[in-house]
Amino acid sequence: MNRDEIIRLVSDKLRLIRTEAGYTQDKMAEIIGVSKKTLVQIEKGRVLAGWSTVVTICALFRETETVQFLFGSEPLEVLETVAREGIDYRKMKTFGGRIWWREVSRKNGFILQQNILSKHFRILDDKHYRVYSSFDEKQSKIRFKELTKID
């Protein structure tokens, strides 16, 4: 998944996200920071939303069924992974992947998982903190080996 795919997915589902949230076009346009005319153009499929608009929609409406259907329970993780082209950091507590994740590997307290919707990978430590995230399977497996290597 890349920026263009995410932009297309969210643009195609914008009307559904808006109606699920119970907003008029006027109110939705105000909330996401675009003109009503732009919102209508996106909803009719005449133009695509911009990246910043898509990020805003996913952040503000991350709890909607539509956004969760597109990206799983953590849509911001998907956006962050795409925006940064792979993330390597600590201190992002997760729920451990009970619903939207498939376990690929488990070793020495680390878990390599793949999101069943977005297909991106992440590595969790023994306390379910996200240590790494990427769409690149090869790089994710390399990082997993590095982390699970015992000196």
Side-chain angles (χ1 to χ4, degrees):
M1 192 171 283
N2 60 38
R3 280 185 190 214
D4 292 338
E5 291 169 325
I6 290 171
I7 287 169
R8 181 161 305 284
L9 283 171
V10 173
S11 295
D12 289 348
K13 298 294 183 189
L14 183 55
R15 176 179 286 152
L16 188 56
I17 294 167
R18 177 181 60 77
T19 56
E20 182 182 343
Y23 290 117
T24 64
Q25 288 178 326
D26 287 320
K27 187 64 178 171
M28 185 68 159
E30 178 185 326
I31 290 169
I32 64 173
V34 298
S35 68
K36 180 181 177 184
K37 180 181 177 183
T38 299
L39 179 72
V40 169
Q41 295 295 319
I42 296 167
E43 286 188 354
K44 288 186 175 186
R46 294 182 182 146
V47 299
L48 295 174
W51 177 249
S52 58
T53 301
V54 166
V55 171
T56 300
I57 293 164
C58 290
L60 297 176
F61 299 95
R62 66 187 171 276
E63 301 298 325
T64 63
E65 286 183 30
T66 304
V67 172
Q68 293 211 349
F69 176 77
L70 293 174
F71 305 112
S73 62
E74 299 177 44
L76 299 182
E77 180 181 331
V78 175
L79 296 177
E80 194 172 20
T81 301
V82 168
R84 295 184 181 181
E85 298 174 355
I87 309 167
D88 197 4
Y89 61 86
R90 276 191 130 16
K91 304 299 179 207
M92 192 66 190
K93 182 77 170 172
T94 71
F95 294 115
R98 287 179 262 162
I99 298 175
W100 303 103
W101 297 90
R102 174 181 72 83
E103 186 173 309
V104 176
S105 235
R106 182 184 294 256
K107 185 176 178 185
N108 298 335
F110 291 94
I111 306 167
L112 175 62
Q113 298 177 323
Q114 184 179 29
N115 186 286
I116 61 173
L117 296 174
S118 68
K119 304 297 184 202
H120 81 283
F121 294 86
R122 72 179 183 184
I123 300 170
L124 304 180
D125 68 9
D126 60 342
K127 298 202 181 344
H128 298 286
Y129 282 90
R130 186 177 61 219
V131 180
Y132 181 81
S133 208
S134 176
F135 278 94
D136 188 320
E137 181 177 7
K138 183 178 177 183
Q139 287 300 326
S140 297
K141 287 181 176 179
I142 289 170
R143 185 68 178 129
F144 184 74
K145 280 185 179 181
E146 293 170 354
L147 290 168
T148 58
K149 182 178 163 186
I150 298 178
D151 294 327

